[in-house]
Amino acid sequence: MENIKVISFDADGTLVDLKFVDLVWNFGVPKLFAEKEGIDFEKAKKYTKKEYDKVGENSIKWYDISYWFDYFDLGESYTDLIKSLSMEVEIYEEVSLVLEELSDEYELVISSNAQREFLDVEIESIKEHFSHIFSSTTDFRLVKKTPDFYEKVCRVLDVSPDEMVHVGDHWNFDVICPKKLGVTAIYLDRNGKNVPDNGHNLVVNNLEEMLKLL
Ligand SMILES: [Mg+2]
């Protein structure tokens, strides 16, 4: 790939194992709700999940932990909850090596849907590699599925879309949307079983494989 200047990474499921985010939403939040309501954890988990699903990932509310703390009336301690689970953050094993290799040649950024409150904790140990960390929901009040988001990122970085590669694990948010703008998108399929059957040939099973494509 020629004239690429910037490589943009999704965070959850791409750099950071989903376990942490999953724990916050499907363990931490329902546990607090169960304690508040005096009901058992499984019942609380089912209820909170049902409420998340009603809103869905296309809505900005879905990502907003302060919204859910208000909605479930859990008080103001969501930062405490995130911090209390921070030891569970796991960066995928190949990430450090890949970032080191790529940072010699490219500017590296993160383009994530996750809120700043999550990102700060999640990428603490690798943040030195990135010139910018964009949270679509916190910085632009946008869900990443909009090509608008990638346009804003390019503008801030002062590059054109064809000078950027984005890699991520969500077919719509990380592939379809950036491609609409003209960003080269690499689909990360860590399980190796979700490869879309539509001729998109930039698919990798881990980030190391990406080095061969660049
Ligand atoms: Mg992701």
Side-chain angles (χ1 to χ4, degrees):
M1 287 178 206
E2 276 172 41
N3 78 47
I4 297 299
K5 292 182 178 160
V6 173
I7 302 185
S8 156
F9 294 82
D10 168 54
D12 294 330
T14 298
L15 299 170
V16 188
D17 192 289
L18 292 168
K19 187 180 77 172
F20 170 71
V21 179
D22 186 56
L23 274 172
V24 173
W25 293 111
N26 299 316
F27 170 74
V29 171
K31 187 163 167 277
L32 290 175
F33 187 72
E35 283 162 8
K36 193 203 81 170
E37 296 288 312
I39 57 175
D40 71 56
F41 173 76
E42 284 309 319
K43 200 169 167 194
K45 189 177 168 183
K46 226 181 235 171
Y47 174 74
T48 51
K49 168 91 169 56
K50 198 180 80 202
E51 295 303 305
Y52 300 152
D53 288 348
K54 273 192 214 161
V55 169
E57 66 177 1
N58 289 337
S59 165
I60 197 159
K61 286 188 216 156
W62 194 75
Y63 302 86
D64 185 351
I65 193 152
S66 68
Y67 168 81
W68 292 107
F69 264 63
D70 280 350
Y71 185 83
F72 296 131
D73 198 15
L74 302 178
E76 291 299 314
S77 56
Y78 65 87
T79 45
D80 292 346
L81 173 65
I82 291 173
K83 277 190 199 134
S84 74
L85 294 168
S86 64
M87 73 288 253
E88 303 292 339
V89 170
E90 253 176 52
I91 304 292
Y92 287 108
E93 61 172 345
E94 83 277 23
V95 166
S96 293
L97 180 144
V98 170
L99 295 179
E100 254 164 53
E101 190 124 327
L102 292 175
S103 58
D104 287 344
E105 218 176 318
Y106 304 98
E107 179 174 0
L108 308 184
V109 304
I110 291 178
S111 304
S112 170
N113 268 335
Q115 268 185 301
R116 180 74 57 201
E117 286 85 344
F118 283 85
L119 280 176
D120 283 347
V121 171
E122 288 183 283
I123 56 114
E124 175 64 28
S125 66
I126 50 170
K127 66 179 179 199
E128 57 178 13
H129 295 286
F130 301 99
S131 69
H132 292 75
I133 294 155
F134 297 101
S135 159
S136 63
T137 46
T138 303
D139 298 343
F140 306 125
R141 302 300 294 164
L142 285 174
V143 175
K144 198 169 60 171
K145 69 175 233 179
T146 62
D148 261 19
F149 167 64
Y150 291 98
E151 198 174 6
K152 287 181 196 298
V153 167
C154 287
R155 206 176 303 148
V156 172
L157 297 173
D158 196 23
V159 293
S160 60
D162 64 359
E163 292 174 319
M164 185 160 102
V165 169
H166 176 78
V167 59
D169 68 319
H170 194 291
W171 179 246
N172 186 20
F173 296 169
D174 294 313
V175 180
I176 301 294
C177 292
K179 274 179 78 167
K180 272 187 196 152
L181 189 72
V183 170
T184 301
I186 299 177
Y187 179 53
L188 173 62
D189 181 17
R190 288 193 177 275
N191 304 319
K193 53 185 177 197
N194 297 315
V195 181
D197 184 28
N198 61 0
H200 182 73
N201 52 8
L202 299 179
V203 180
V204 293
N205 295 127
N206 58 62
L207 291 174
E208 214 175 338
E209 288 179 14
M210 201 175 96
L211 300 175
K212 287 180 253 161
L213 293 177
L214 292 164

